[in-house]
Amino acid sequence: MRIHRLEISAFGPFAGTERIDFDRLSAHGLFLLNGATGAGKTSVLDAICFALYGAVPGARQDGKRLRSDHAEAAAEPRVTCEFSAKGRHFEVSRSPAWDKPSARGKNGYTVQQANTLLRERIDGVWVEKSGRNDEAGAEIADVLGMNREQFTRVVMLPQGDFAAFLRSKASDRLELLQSLFGTQRFEAVEQELSRQAQTAKAEVANLTTRLDLLLAQAESETAALDLDPADAPGRDAPDALLAWLDDAAAAVATGRRTAAAAAGQHAADQASLLEAATARASRHAKLAAAEQRRNDADAAAPALAEQAITLGLHRKAEVLGGQLRAVESARGAEDLAGTALLEAARQLRSAAVTDPELAGLDLVDAGADTGREPEAFDSAALRNGLGQLRSLRAVLTERLPDESRLTGLTDRSSRLRLQLTALETQQRTGAAALDALRTESEALLTGIVPLEELAAEAQLRTKEATAADELVAIVGRYLTAEAGSSAIAERHAAARNDHQDLRQHWLDLREQRLTNAAAELAAQLLAGVPCPVCGSPEHPEPAPAAASALAVAEAEKAAQQASDDAEAALAALGRELAEARQDVAVLAAQGGSTPPEEARADAALARERADDAARAATDLAAGRARLAELETAIASAERAKAEAASGIAQTQSTIAEVDEQAKVLEHALDKLRAGHASLEERLAALTGTTAILERADAAQSALEQAGARTAEARRQLDQALPATGFSTEAAARAALLPAPEATGLEAAIRAGQDEAARIQELFAGEELALAAAERAAGELVSEAALEELQAASAAAERQSRDAELAAGLAENSVRTLGRIAGEYAELAAAGRAPRDRAALLGAVAEAARGGGDNTYRMSLNSYVLAARLEQVAVAASERLIGMSDGRYTLQHTDAKAARGAKSGLGLEVVDEWTGQRRDTATLSGGESFMASLALALGLADVVQHESGGVDIETLFVDEGFGSLDDQALEQVMDALEGLRDGGRVVGLVSHVAEMKQRIGTQLQVVKARNGSTLHISDDARA
């Protein structure tokens, strides 16, 4: 990687634009970057680092303070670096975020974001690669093969840091080495090993917990067996303990099973005795119940015989039940028919008095109202009258729609007349409205022409009014800025006078101090003794004595400080005055010098003209919209006028046609109404008359049919009576019983017969015969004896159940213990491999962490870094041995640290003259510088190799040369001269005077009040 050109603008202490031609500096291979303290030597290195990585090294990284405080307010800070690496040529230009003056920004400033431009020179043409900060940074890091931390350690060698690194503890070296060599992956390996060890340990703990739980289950399972724990093994021998528990539980289960068998046999014997006694008592109870039932049946036998006779007569009369019921039903129907005929005759007589439809029909007997029995109507006359009425009803029903149609025609005629009136009114109103619309349209057309001319200038007048308002505001700001600038100018003139007075006072005091120094020297002159200044033995005009030298020096220092303060204040006021004058000039260029009254008058006139044009435009738009509406309305009104005339003619024709149809229909319907208000009313009257005739006809027919049925029913009953043994209808009806009573008698007789048969069957059975024999022999069972047997059997049964339960529990415990023992053995066998793995992982993780058997307490990360440090020590020793005249080399040591501290990153210096090794802290100041420089160079070589072998062709070495004597400086310079091999360029950062004399090619940083500048001094070119 070689740097060709660097351009710095408004960055750090550099107020203007500084350009550095590194190709010119590279011509001699070695150049000196020098300047006064605070001039900006380190800022040159910061600019290189910022251009490449967008940040400066270490604590100096503060993006908002990278811009130079000496630069003009509007100057943009920017660093451009042209470099080459891996055979490619690049140019990167970066600008940090900064506050740019702006009239519209907050507090007068606008934040400008950081920006980057990366270009590559391809075939002699610059090609843009990226304009994004992150993309450009990634591209550069990929080309250089180093991040910012590595770049600042490899290309820019900070001696102060490496001196601290040389003397630091192993833990402090770890942080720097890890940041350079990126060994975080080995820390990740340590963490992964620790995680796996913890996981394996947790798995083993889980297995142990499960084994302990199985032992606890085994002990809990045998707790109810009352085992004697005196001979039981301890829990430290789990296999023996499980075997003992299994044997003891098996023994208890065997004993309990034997006891349960004996108790079961005793319970069976007691149950057999109780069963025999219970059966005998049951037989005797059944015998007593059967005897009681037999006595009750004998007592009920006479009543059952009488009930059987009554039921027999009922059965005979029941054979005539159909005929009896038919006679009774026929008589009832005949009585009802006679009553209905009387009611029909009464209604017919009443209707014949008032109904004109019945007036011409001779249907009712004239003597019917004398109270005699009704006589039959004349069926032919009745049915003839019914036919006439029904025919008339059909005709009226058919003509009913004509009456509705007549009503519709009348209603339609009324509506048409109303419609005709409305159309005539609409015709008159539409004609008046049409005349008004045409008049308004003609007036609008006349007024639109002048509005169009004025509205065409609306946009132009609005812009003129806006510009005039802005000019008024600019005039106001101009007056304010001009007044402020005048005030600042007065303060600046006063400050300039104060500064000139104070500076003159300081110069006077300095002259006085110099004069006083001559007087002091003159006071020491002796006659004939040569002057130490001019060498003359004669002293014709010695300087006169003056005030005290100390007082004059203090006064001069105070005056110089006052002059410097006044100069700083003058510079600040100068910058403020320049900014104020710039603001005044900008506002004047925008028209701010226009007289305020003229600007306000022009603005008012322009606003008035714009308002007139705007109103004209609004009125024009409204007029055009109204004209369009009027045109539409006129067209609609003309169509409505024509439609109204057509509607009037059509309506008049329709009214004449409807009136004629209604007149003809009214004449035809009037005859059919026959004096009624409507056809429906006459139809309703005919319906009532027809119903009266139909009821009379139906009543007469029903009476005739009922008489015939009654006669037939009596004839059939008279024929059936002799066969059943009854002489009369009354005798048969007396023998009949109600159905529930007959059913109850039949059930009682059947129940008595069934009971007698069952009793006979009971006494014929073996069980009652055995009970009778036992009673005869006196073999009876008392209730007390039976209760005693029941209590004994229940007690034996409880004892048997308890013994069986105890035996079952013991046997279940034996089975459970067997299962637990199997699970314990299986789980113990499965846990051996996890225990071994956990032990191995724990040991490996502890060793990788620096503990356990790791006697050096060196972690895996430290071990890898120790190998890198050993390479660094070898590379550093190659240079240190030349710088120290073959005396010193650096050596890595992994000696154990005191008090158990971590080891592995130790450094010691080997004195080849004495063969002794000693701590690096024992080196003198100059020796420490040489060792630090050698260490920095060696670390740069190793990091360069680790980063992919990037060729570092430009190298910077920072301060520290002032601690060397002449010989050591000569040896160090020889070593640095060796760095130029292969075309490498080395820049030494120092302000040591001897370095300026030894190195002819120099990049000088010149400090001034208005910022620093850069100059290249090349003696060889001169």
Side-chain angles (χ1 to χ4, degrees):
M1 180 267 183
R2 176 184 291 274
I3 299 175
H4 300 285
R5 178 177 60 87
L6 183 67
E7 185 176 301
I8 307 173
S9 298
F11 184 89
F14 305 107
T17 299
E18 305 296 329
R19 296 176 178 82
I20 305 175
D21 186 357
F22 279 96
D23 288 337
R24 175 182 172 185
L25 295 173
S26 302
H28 301 282
L30 187 68
F31 69 92
L32 179 67
L33 175 59
N34 72 333
T37 301
K41 299 185 297 297
T42 305
S43 296
V44 175
L45 306 183
D46 289 347
I48 296 173
C49 188
F50 176 77
L52 295 175
Y53 294 98
V56 299
R60 297 191 299 277
Q61 171 56 31
D62 184 0
K64 293 185 178 180
R65 299 299 302 163
L66 295 179
R67 186 182 182 279
S68 175
D69 293 333
H70 302 283
E72 294 291 335
E76 178 189 29
R78 180 167 296 278
V79 179
T80 301
C81 180
E82 183 181 342
F83 66 96
S84 58
K86 295 183 179 180
R88 301 170 65 184
H89 202 99
F90 293 91
E91 179 192 79
V92 59
S93 179
R94 289 185 189 266
S95 175
W98 63 290
D99 295 333
K100 180 180 179 181
S102 174
R104 298 183 179 181
K106 184 178 180 181
N107 299 325
Y109 292 94
T110 299
V111 177
Q112 300 295 307
Q113 300 300 327
N115 62 81
T116 302
L117 176 62
L118 177 65
R119 301 192 300 171
E120 183 178 4
R121 193 170 184 84
I122 301 176
D123 297 332
V125 178
W126 286 109
V127 179
E128 182 176 339
K129 299 288 289 183
S130 175
R132 291 180 51 180
N133 298 331
D134 52 350
E135 288 183 354
E139 178 79 13
I140 293 172
D142 181 64
V143 170
L144 297 183
M146 293 178 285
N147 57 29
R148 180 172 64 92
E149 186 70 22
Q150 292 173 323
F151 182 83
T152 57
R153 301 291 184 184
V154 173
V155 178
M156 303 175 181
L157 305 181
Q159 294 306 301
D161 289 352
F162 282 96
F165 178 80
L166 184 68
R167 296 184 175 88
S168 62
K169 299 179 180 178
S171 59
D172 298 331
R173 293 192 182 106
L174 177 67
E175 181 178 356
L176 175 61
L177 292 172
Q178 183 167 331
S179 67
L180 291 176
F181 293 107
T183 58
Q184 290 82 357
R185 61 186 183 280
F186 296 102
E187 280 191 346
V189 172
E190 295 178 20
Q191 296 171 0
E192 178 62 21
L193 288 173
S194 176
R195 187 192 64 77
Q196 292 186 13
Q198 291 297 325
T199 302
K201 183 178 179 181
E203 184 179 358
V204 171
N206 183 40
L207 288 171
T208 303
T209 301
R210 292 171 61 187
L211 290 173
D212 292 342
L213 180 60
L214 288 174
L215 283 179
Q217 289 178 351
E219 293 174 345
S220 174
E221 190 65 35
T222 58
L225 301 181
D226 298 330
L227 301 180
D228 185 7
D231 299 332
R235 297 192 67 171
D236 53 348
D239 294 334
L241 176 60
L242 289 173
W244 181 86
L245 288 174
D246 185 62
D247 294 341
V252 171
T254 301
R256 289 187 177 183
R257 176 52 61 191
T258 302
Q265 184 60 43
H266 176 64
D269 295 342
Q270 289 297 323
S272 298
L273 293 175
L274 176 62
E275 183 179 3
T278 302
R280 179 176 296 177
S282 176
R283 287 195 299 272
H284 290 178
K286 290 179 181 179
L287 177 61
E291 289 176 345
Q292 181 63 38
R293 288 174 62 185
R294 184 173 59 183
N295 294 335
D296 293 341
D298 292 343
L304 286 176
E306 185 176 350
Q307 290 175 349
I309 294 172
T310 302
L311 183 61
L313 292 174
H314 169 73
R315 295 299 183 199
K316 291 180 178 180
E318 193 176 23
V319 175
L320 300 173
Q323 289 84 350
L324 292 173
R325 286 191 296 274
V327 170
E328 185 176 1
S329 175
R331 287 174 180 169
E334 188 176 6
D335 292 341
L336 290 174
T339 303
L341 183 59
L342 286 175
E343 178 62 23
R346 186 189 63 77
Q347 292 179 357
L348 184 58
R349 286 194 299 271
S350 298
V353 175
T354 60
D355 192 347
E357 304 291 346
L358 294 175
L361 299 177
D362 187 13
L363 300 177
V364 183
D365 184 6
D369 57 350
T370 60
R372 300 184 315 215
E373 287 295 326
E375 297 179 357
F377 294 107
D378 185 352
S379 298
L382 183 61
R383 289 188 177 88
N384 184 40
L386 275 174
Q388 293 177 8
L389 292 178
R390 287 170 179 167
S391 298
L392 182 58
R393 283 182 59 197
V395 172
L396 294 176
T397 302
E398 185 178 356
R399 296 301 298 270
L400 276 177
D402 290 343
E403 195 167 57
S404 299
R405 181 165 164 260
L406 177 60
T407 303
L409 290 173
T410 305
D411 293 342
R412 185 183 178 191
S413 178
S414 300
R415 290 196 303 272
L416 287 172
R417 284 180 168 80
L418 292 174
Q419 182 178 351
L420 179 59
T421 303
L423 287 173
E424 291 172 348
T425 303
Q426 180 181 353
Q427 186 180 33
R428 291 191 297 271
T429 304
L434 179 59
D435 293 339
L437 290 173
R438 286 171 176 167
T439 302
E440 185 180 357
S441 176
E442 292 172 358
L444 279 175
L445 286 172
T446 303
I448 280 179
V449 175
L451 291 176
E452 289 177 341
E453 297 176 355
L454 190 56
E457 300 179 0
Q459 184 175 5
L460 176 60
R461 293 189 179 189
T462 301
K463 291 182 178 179
E464 291 175 351
T466 302
D469 291 339
E470 292 179 353
L471 180 59
V472 171
I474 291 172
V475 168
R477 293 201 303 271
Y478 173 79
L479 294 175
T480 302
E482 190 175 31
S485 177
S486 299
I488 296 172
E490 293 176 358
R491 289 161 47 205
H492 181 266
R496 183 172 60 249
N497 294 332
D498 292 343
H499 172 253
Q500 291 175 352
D501 294 341
L502 291 172
R503 179 176 177 80
Q504 186 61 45
H505 178 59
W506 167 55
L507 293 175
D508 293 341
L509 289 176
R510 186 175 66 173
E511 182 66 24
Q512 183 180 352
R513 180 178 61 79
L514 294 176
T515 302
N516 192 49
E520 290 178 356
L521 182 61
Q524 298 174 3
L525 294 175
L526 297 175
V529 177
C531 174
V533 178
C534 63
S536 174
E538 298 179 357
H539 317 295
E541 295 181 1
S548 170
L550 179 59
V552 172
E554 290 178 352
E556 180 195 1
K557 183 177 181 181
Q560 184 181 6
Q561 182 61 42
S563 177
D564 291 342
D565 293 342
E567 184 180 3
L570 179 62
L573 283 172
R575 290 192 297 273
E576 186 177 356
L577 179 59
E579 293 177 359
R581 287 176 174 172
Q582 182 180 2
D583 292 342
V584 170
V586 171
L587 292 171
Q590 295 174 354
S593 58
T594 304
E597 294 77 6
E598 179 182 345
R600 285 192 290 271
D602 291 344
L605 178 60
R607 177 52 57 193
E608 183 179 357
R609 284 168 52 80
D611 292 342
D612 292 342
R615 283 193 297 272
T618 303
D619 294 343
L620 177 60
R624 286 175 174 170
R626 178 57 182 164
L627 186 60
E629 294 175 358
L630 288 175
E631 291 175 353
T632 303
I634 289 171
S636 299
E638 290 176 345
R639 287 194 302 273
K641 181 178 178 181
E643 292 172 357
S646 175
I648 289 173
Q650 185 177 358
T651 302
Q652 290 173 343
S653 174
T654 305
I655 289 173
E657 182 180 353
V658 170
D659 288 346
E660 180 63 24
Q661 293 176 0
K663 182 179 178 181
V664 173
L665 192 59
E666 174 64 26
H667 179 71
L669 293 177
D670 187 58
K671 294 180 180 181
L672 293 175
R673 293 191 189 105
H676 292 278
S678 64
L679 293 180
E680 289 184 352
E681 184 176 333
R682 187 182 183 193
L683 187 60
L686 284 175
T687 300
T689 302
T690 304
I692 292 173
L693 291 179
E694 289 174 346
R695 285 195 295 273
D697 184 38
Q700 183 173 348
S701 298
L703 180 59
E704 293 171 353
Q705 294 173 3
R709 285 195 295 272
T710 301
E712 178 63 23
R714 287 189 60 82
R715 185 185 64 77
Q716 293 179 0
L717 177 62
D718 292 341
Q719 290 178 356
L721 282 175
T724 58
F726 293 102
S727 58
T728 63
E729 176 184 348
R733 288 187 181 279
L736 280 174
L737 296 174
E741 184 178 349
T743 303
L745 284 176
E746 185 177 5
I749 293 169
R750 187 181 298 111
Q753 294 172 350
D754 292 344
E755 178 67 9
R758 284 193 294 270
I759 291 172
Q760 185 178 2
E761 184 180 355
L762 282 174
F763 278 99
E766 295 181 359
E767 188 175 11
L768 292 186
L770 179 60
E774 289 173 348
R775 184 172 62 182
E779 297 176 356
L780 303 176
V781 179
S782 64
E783 291 184 2
L786 187 61
E787 291 177 356
E788 183 177 353
L789 285 173
Q790 289 174 345
S793 177
E797 182 64 24
R798 285 194 300 272
Q799 292 175 359
S800 176
R801 285 199 303 270
D802 293 344
E804 183 66 28
L805 178 61
L809 291 175
E811 290 169 349
N812 185 60
S813 296
V814 171
R815 289 192 295 272
T816 303
L817 286 173
R819 176 181 59 79
I820 292 175
E823 291 181 3
Y824 190 93
E826 182 180 351
L827 189 59
R832 294 189 185 95
R835 285 191 178 88
D836 296 342
R837 182 172 181 272
L840 176 61
L841 285 174
V844 172
E846 190 68 15
R849 192 178 60 85
D853 296 336
N854 190 339
T855 57
Y856 285 96
R857 299 187 58 77
M858 185 187 302
S859 67
L860 177 62
N861 185 39
S862 299
Y863 178 78
V864 174
L865 292 177
R868 297 290 187 269
L869 183 59
E870 186 173 359
Q871 297 173 355
V872 171
V874 171
S877 296
E878 293 178 359
R879 291 181 170 81
L880 181 58
I881 197 167
M883 296 180 190
S884 61
D885 199 16
R887 180 176 182 181
Y888 294 117
T889 59
L890 289 175
Q891 180 172 305
H892 162 254
T893 175
D894 56 2
K896 292 178 60 178
R899 294 183 294 276
K902 292 187 176 182
S903 309
L905 296 179
L907 272 179
E908 59 185 8
V909 62
V910 180
D911 190 340
E912 299 294 343
W913 291 0
T914 63
Q916 297 295 319
R917 292 178 173 83
R918 54 194 174 107
D919 192 89
T920 54
T922 62
L923 294 173
S924 65
E927 292 171 342
S928 295
F929 169 73
M930 291 188 293
S932 299
L933 178 59
L935 185 63
L937 295 172
L939 184 62
D941 292 341
V942 174
V943 171
Q944 176 183 345
H945 177 73
E946 288 291 325
S947 61
V950 177
D951 190 8
I952 306 300
E953 299 182 43
T954 303
L955 192 66
F956 296 91
V957 181
D958 209 342
E959 292 282 2
F961 299 96
S963 61
L964 303 177
D965 57 21
D966 293 341
Q967 182 181 358
L969 180 59
E970 184 69 29
Q971 293 168 346
V972 169
M973 290 300 299
D974 291 341
L976 292 176
E977 288 284 350
L979 295 177
R980 296 188 300 174
D981 296 342
R984 179 181 292 176
V985 180
V986 181
L988 305 181
V989 183
S990 178
H991 51 70
V992 176
E994 188 173 350
M995 299 288 287
K996 299 178 185 179
Q997 298 173 3
R998 293 178 59 93
I999 302 175
T1001 303
Q1002 300 179 10
L1003 176 58
Q1004 298 174 345
V1005 185
V1006 181
K1007 179 171 65 173
R1009 292 184 180 277
N1010 296 326
S1012 299
T1013 56
L1014 294 171
H1015 302 283
I1016 296 179
S1017 174
D1018 190 349
D1019 291 346
R1021 290 173 61 89

